[in-house]
Amino acid sequence: MFKTVLFPIDQSREAREAVDVVTNVVQKYGSRLVLLSVVEEPPADAPSPDPMMSAEVVAKLLENAQSLFSQQGIASEIIEREGKAAFTICDVADDIGADLIIMGCRGLGLTEEGASDSVTTRVINLSPCPVLIVP
């Protein structure tokens, strides 16, 4: 049913909590797992750099996640992209033919406008496939 699962990750608690759900779905359906992290361009007026805007931090995050899944006997592919998180997640889902996106309920991409304009909400509205949100 879910041949390819996309798991966008950041450094949030919600992303870490989604790992168990991703593991269960991938093992149950024998899915291909693709881990994605997005490096965002910092705004010119950003007071302090966001860790997710560092390519090195994102690469290490993806390596750690891949290792974690490997310990569970799950092979995974990693993709690192630059861009706006929600749009990039949906573009990658379309590019890889994802059957499901699994993500945390909030992530680090909560915008100034609040939860109604979070990365998660944008992904739900733009996604080319079903999205499973882990609370």
Side-chain angles (χ1 to χ4, degrees):
M1 178 171 210
F2 301 118
K3 292 178 183 173
T4 301
V5 172
L6 177 62
F7 182 34
I9 58 173
D10 58 18
Q11 294 181 314
S12 69
R13 177 180 51 86
E14 290 82 3
R16 288 189 301 274
E17 290 174 354
V19 168
D20 288 340
V21 173
V22 172
T23 299
N24 289 336
V25 169
V26 168
Q27 287 177 334
K28 178 175 176 107
Y29 294 100
S31 308
R32 166 185 172 217
L33 176 60
V34 179
L35 307 173
L36 168 68
S37 202
V38 180
V39 179
E40 294 195 62
E41 289 290 322
D45 60 347
S48 64
D50 179 336
M52 291 306 294
M53 293 176 185
S54 162
E56 294 80 23
V57 170
V58 169
K60 186 69 175 165
L61 176 68
L62 285 167
E63 287 174 23
N64 291 342
Q66 189 173 41
S67 174
L68 179 72
F69 284 108
S70 181
Q71 291 170 10
Q72 301 291 324
I74 298 171
S76 60
E77 301 166 39
I78 57 175
I79 297 175
E80 180 181 328
R81 293 275 171 89
E82 291 184 16
K84 299 266 187 212
F87 297 108
T88 304
I89 291 166
C90 293
D91 286 346
V92 169
D94 194 39
D95 291 347
I96 67 170
D99 300 295
L100 179 66
I101 298 171
I102 301 176
M103 58 191 301
C105 65
R106 181 168 166 254
L108 293 176
L110 192 63
T111 63
E112 295 163 0
E113 290 79 24
S116 65
D117 201 28
S118 68
V119 170
T120 304
T121 301
R122 288 180 181 170
V123 170
I124 290 168
N125 290 320
L126 298 170
S127 177
C129 63
V131 180
L132 174 61
I133 305 301
V134 179

